[in-house]
Amino acid sequence: MTRKQKVVFSIGWLSLAIIVLLLIVMVIAQTWRYTEAGKVPLKTGVILHAVNEQLLPEGLSTPSFFVNPVAPTIKRADLILETRDGEPIAMRLYTPTQSGPHPVILYFHGGAFMEGYGNVDTHDNILRALANRTNAIIVAPNYRLAPNYSFPTAIHDSFDALKWVYDEAKELDADTENIAVAGDSAGGNIAAAVVMKANEAGYSLKSSAFLYPLTTFEDTPFPSRDAYSSGYYFLSRSVMERARAAYTPNQDDWINPYVSPLLSDALRDFPTSLVVTAEFDPLRDEGEAFAEKLYDAGNDVEAVRFNGTMHGFLSFYEVMGRADYALSYVAHFFNRSFETDETSQKQPFYVKELDEGDTVQDEVEAYGMSVYLLWQKIVQLIK
């Protein structure tokens, strides 16, 4: 065999080995789609596996060659809010660089009401994206958390932030005719309480968005709580029980409407509302039940379930097409509410199910992530 033939032969074997390895990676990645409660999209399966195996690299984001650089359109500022009891809390503002007046979205971060589970820093990417996609001022208070501060401190802090927005509207260059609230998970629970308190105080909100919200502290037998509460889908029954014990140590508070808005009889006069749920989320059913109760109370409400997603999925919008699609959906809801005073035509209540957002980029990135994850597993075995 000549030298040239040997080189060609070696290249052929190397190419074959690479193809075989890639096929193995693809097969393994496909197995990660089959979770304990059912089949999920490829990218969702890879992310779930990575997080549960603690293999996901810090600061994961879309590769830079996929991103078109743009000039910054918002500026961020941290300030201090003096609460009603005199104790200051941190608050973050995301403000458009162009002149206003601008709509305002008061956003309450998720995180099980407890220290160590969530704050404005963990939600910085969502807050920035929402500011960019709505051209609104985003106000995000770091409300005080359990176990040091139990109910109703978080509610008081959050409502004080809303009052601050109205008091400082001129300084903020804010449009007081277009003020909205939003929150995810525990923050969605707080957002509902703030709307109820705003109604009592005579504040007129333009819209509200509740993103995979916790809506009742009672042990209600929702099927989704049983199906998806192992923790594999980013929220476990044990965390929910710890959150309940820390945030509401007094069991009588579990039926308080500001704790369990699903049980409230004061859901009339909510602003135009969007309730977002995730298919593989223990909070899915109670979120959709809350949307239906808002509807039954005479409100304009849209309920949307994003299939193929898990609790907290919006935080992955930079690497997950379904999450990016959902975040754009939320932004469009706010933009539409700010632009019109019309409510949608009254129709029978239903939950809109969306199965959109996956892209070719998602597919390619999912396999690329799988290569990294398998390499990390090999490194762990060698150690």
Side-chain angles (χ1 to χ4, degrees), residues 21 40 47 62 111 117 122 132 145 147 150 162 166 171 177 204 208 215 222 264 319 331 334-335 338 347 353 359:
L21 285 173
V40 301
I47 291 175
T62 303
Y117 284 84
T122 61
N132 274 315
L145 298 167
S150 58
L162 176 64
Y166 280 98
E171 185 71 23
E177 298 297 314
S204 180
S208 53
T215 64
F222 290 114
S264 176
V319 294
F334 278 123
N335 289 334
F338 295 144
Q347 298 176 350
E353 294 190 42
T359 63

Side-chain angles (χ1 to χ4, degrees), residues 222-240:
F222 290 114
S224 64
R225 283 193 179 185
D226 294 328
Y228 310 119
S229 62
S230 67
Y232 192 80
Y233 303 97
F234 299 170
L235 181 61
S236 68
R237 186 179 296 276
S238 62
V239 167
M240 288 190 284

Side-chain angles (χ1 to χ4, degrees), residues 46-275:
V46 171
I47 291 175
L48 284 171
H49 181 81
V51 172
N52 281 282
E53 295 292 322
Q54 298 183 348
L55 297 171
L56 199 65
E58 275 192 48
L60 182 67
S61 61
T62 303
S64 59
F65 53 83
F66 283 126
V67 178
N68 293 320
V70 295
T73 59
I74 59 169
K75 52 187 177 182
R76 194 183 83 175
D78 291 306
L79 47 90
I80 299 297
L81 171 68
E82 194 80 18
T83 63
R84 66 184 65 188
D85 62 15
E87 188 167 339
I89 63 169
M91 192 160 62
R92 183 165 293 169
L93 266 63
Y94 302 78
T95 309
T97 53
Q98 66 269 43
S99 59
H102 298 285
V104 178
I105 301 172
L106 195 66
Y107 192 100
F108 309 109
H109 67 78
F113 305 97
M114 296 188 294
E115 287 284 357
Y117 284 84
N119 52 45
V120 295
D121 290 321
T122 61
H123 285 64
D124 182 73
N125 64 333
I126 293 178
L127 298 169
R128 282 183 176 276
L130 204 54
N132 274 315
R133 299 182 193 194
T134 61
N135 199 38
I137 300 167
I138 308 297
V139 178
N142 241 342
Y143 55 86
R144 286 171 285 180
L145 298 167
N148 294 330
Y149 301 94
S150 58
F151 171 80
T153 302
I155 306 296
H156 289 166
D157 290 351
S158 300
F159 184 67
D160 287 349
L162 176 64
K163 290 171 61 179
W164 178 87
V165 168
Y166 280 98
D167 291 343
E168 301 296 325
K170 186 174 182 181
E171 185 71 23
L172 286 171
D173 201 9
D175 178 3
T176 55
E177 298 297 314
N178 281 309
I179 295 180
V181 299
D184 64 278
S185 193
N189 177 284
I190 290 171
V194 168
V195 172
M196 287 187 277
K197 284 195 167 290
N199 286 341
E200 292 169 5
Y203 292 122
S204 180
L205 298 173
K206 193 63 176 291
S207 52
S208 53
F210 309 100
L211 315 177
Y212 29 87
L214 170 66
T215 64
T216 179
F217 274 45
E218 286 199 317
D219 292 314
T220 307
F222 290 114
S224 64
R225 283 193 179 185
D226 294 328
Y228 310 119
S229 62
S230 67
Y232 192 80
Y233 303 97
F234 299 170
L235 181 61
S236 68
R237 186 179 296 276
S238 62
V239 167
M240 288 190 284
E241 289 174 350
R242 287 203 307 274
R244 183 171 66 178
Y247 182 61
T248 52
N250 179 0
Q251 188 170 337
D252 291 340
D253 286 332
W254 296 357
I255 60 173
N256 188 306
Y258 298 122
V259 170
S260 294
L262 182 60
L263 307 180
S264 176
D265 293 323
L267 298 182
R268 293 171 55 189
D269 300 322
F270 263 54
T272 299
S273 297
L274 172 68
V275 180

